[in-house]
Amino acid sequence: MDQTKIAKLQQMIDESERIVFFGGAGVSTESGIPDFRSVDGLYNQKYDYPPEQILSHTFFMRNRPEFYRFYYDKILVDGVEPNAAHYALAKLEEAGKLTAIVTQNIDGLHQKAGSKNVLEVHGTVLNNICMDCGKTFDLDYMMNQKAKKTMEPKCDKCGGVIKPDVVLYEEGLDQDILSESVRQISMADMLIVGGTSLVVYPAAGLVDYYRGNKLVLINKSSTGKESKADLVIQDSIGKVLSSINI
């Protein structure tokens, strides 16, 4: 790691009072969750259908057994735990420095690490909803369905189809979460962007609402936003954040 850049990051954090973290798949790959667009990610593996087709609203409505086969195999991954990045952010929030986490991830690992104010713009696997009566089911229920290989989970109240509370392709983002994300980012005195290539819109466009002078990009590869950043660190998000004194 570039210790000069780490020292600058430390100084920025020390001088800030309203930090917002905006993160993507790279935050969770260090916990063993595959990235959709990396060389070893879901987009580069072979299935009966392309992953982006399987994870679409149309596909879910037309072919739920195949959707759930993929969902159980690649999304509901067993034994996944938070990594150093998740714990560092939770500690930063506990210290009163971090006001919000805006994440594109759906895995719930930020909450598992102890973070409280997590805005999940693409939804979460922690919540699942009956499409008929609206009854909600938690992650444990769905993991049990996975264990039983139930390829079309049904509501135990009305028999309706259960849908994960995640934003599929062709679906719009939750406007309340989107609005709160915009509010938090626009009010931030420091924005840390980590583990995202900033190519998935409209979520990636949230970064443009930041108006401060402490925009930090932490990612292993280029994001295309480097020219707008005040500090760029190309390294592991977990390694970088765990090196900060909080």
Side-chain angles (χ1 to χ4, degrees), residues 143-171:
M143 293 302 290
N144 187 45
Q145 297 302 303
K146 174 182 177 178
K148 293 192 296 186
K149 298 182 179 179
T150 306
M151 303 316 289
E152 194 166 357
K154 297 291 182 65
C155 175
D156 59 8
K157 178 181 178 183
C158 75
V161 173
I162 296 175
K163 179 182 181 294
D165 190 16
V166 300
V167 179
L168 302 176
Y169 289 100
E170 305 167 349
E171 295 179 345

Side-chain angles (χ1 to χ4, degrees), residues 8-222:
K8 184 176 181 181
L9 176 62
Q10 180 74 63
Q11 182 183 359
M12 286 178 163
I13 290 174
D14 291 344
E15 294 174 349
S16 301
E17 296 179 351
R18 289 191 61 88
I19 303 171
V20 170
F21 177 81
F22 179 85
V27 178
S28 293
T29 53
E30 294 176 32
S31 290
I33 294 179
D35 177 3
F36 274 36
R37 289 177 173 77
S38 69
V39 173
D40 298 318
L42 298 182
Y43 273 51
N44 292 282
Q45 298 179 25
K46 294 182 179 179
Y47 299 91
D48 294 339
Y49 303 88
E52 62 268 32
Q53 182 180 348
I54 298 173
L55 296 174
S56 69
H57 179 82
T58 297
F59 194 92
F60 176 83
M61 298 303 291
R62 293 178 179 174
N63 194 346
R64 278 187 284 274
E66 185 68 11
F67 171 90
Y68 269 107
R69 185 175 75 86
F70 180 90
Y71 186 76
Y72 290 153
D73 187 33
K74 294 299 179 183
I75 308 298
L76 285 188
V77 184
D78 294 304
V80 177
E81 295 296 330
N83 59 58
H86 296 108
Y87 287 118
L89 290 166
K91 192 174 179 182
L92 203 58
E93 182 187 58
E94 186 179 9
K97 288 278 191 179
L98 187 76
T99 58
I101 291 172
V102 180
T103 181
Q104 299 173 85
N105 298 334
I106 61 173
D107 49 53
L109 290 180
H110 285 295
Q111 293 93 324
K112 197 170 185 178
S115 293
K116 301 293 190 294
N117 193 20
V118 182
L119 298 164
E120 297 163 307
V121 294
H122 290 156
T124 175
V125 299
L126 300 181
N127 192 40
N128 305 272
I129 305 169
C130 173
M131 296 179 69
D132 289 344
C133 73
K135 181 177 178 180
T136 58
F137 298 85
D138 61 14
L139 179 61
D140 288 341
Y141 182 89
M142 296 305 288
M143 293 302 290
N144 187 45
Q145 297 302 303
K146 174 182 177 178
K148 293 192 296 186
K149 298 182 179 179
T150 306
M151 303 316 289
E152 194 166 357
K154 297 291 182 65
C155 175
D156 59 8
K157 178 181 178 183
C158 75
V161 173
I162 296 175
K163 179 182 181 294
D165 190 16
V166 300
V167 179
L168 302 176
Y169 289 100
E170 305 167 349
E171 295 179 345
L173 303 185
D174 184 296
Q175 291 304 304
D176 290 337
I177 292 176
L178 206 56
S179 295
E180 179 61 11
S181 298
V182 168
R183 190 182 76 86
Q184 289 286 352
I185 290 173
S186 62
M187 291 175 61
D189 58 7
M190 180 177 183
L191 178 63
I192 303 174
V193 179
T196 174
S197 54
L198 294 176
V199 297
V200 179
Y201 282 81
L206 290 170
V207 175
D208 296 332
Y209 287 94
Y210 179 63
R211 295 290 180 263
N213 60 0
K214 291 195 283 276
L215 173 60
V216 179
L217 299 183
I218 306 171
N219 200 47
K220 289 183 178 179
S221 59
S222 174

Side-chain angles (χ1 to χ4, degrees), residues 217-238:
L217 299 183
I218 306 171
N219 200 47
K220 289 183 178 179
S221 59
S222 174
T223 66
K225 296 269 188 181
E226 281 76 13
S227 63
K228 296 182 179 180
D230 302 288
L231 177 62
V232 177
I233 303 176
Q234 290 194 333
D235 209 329
S236 157
I237 182 74

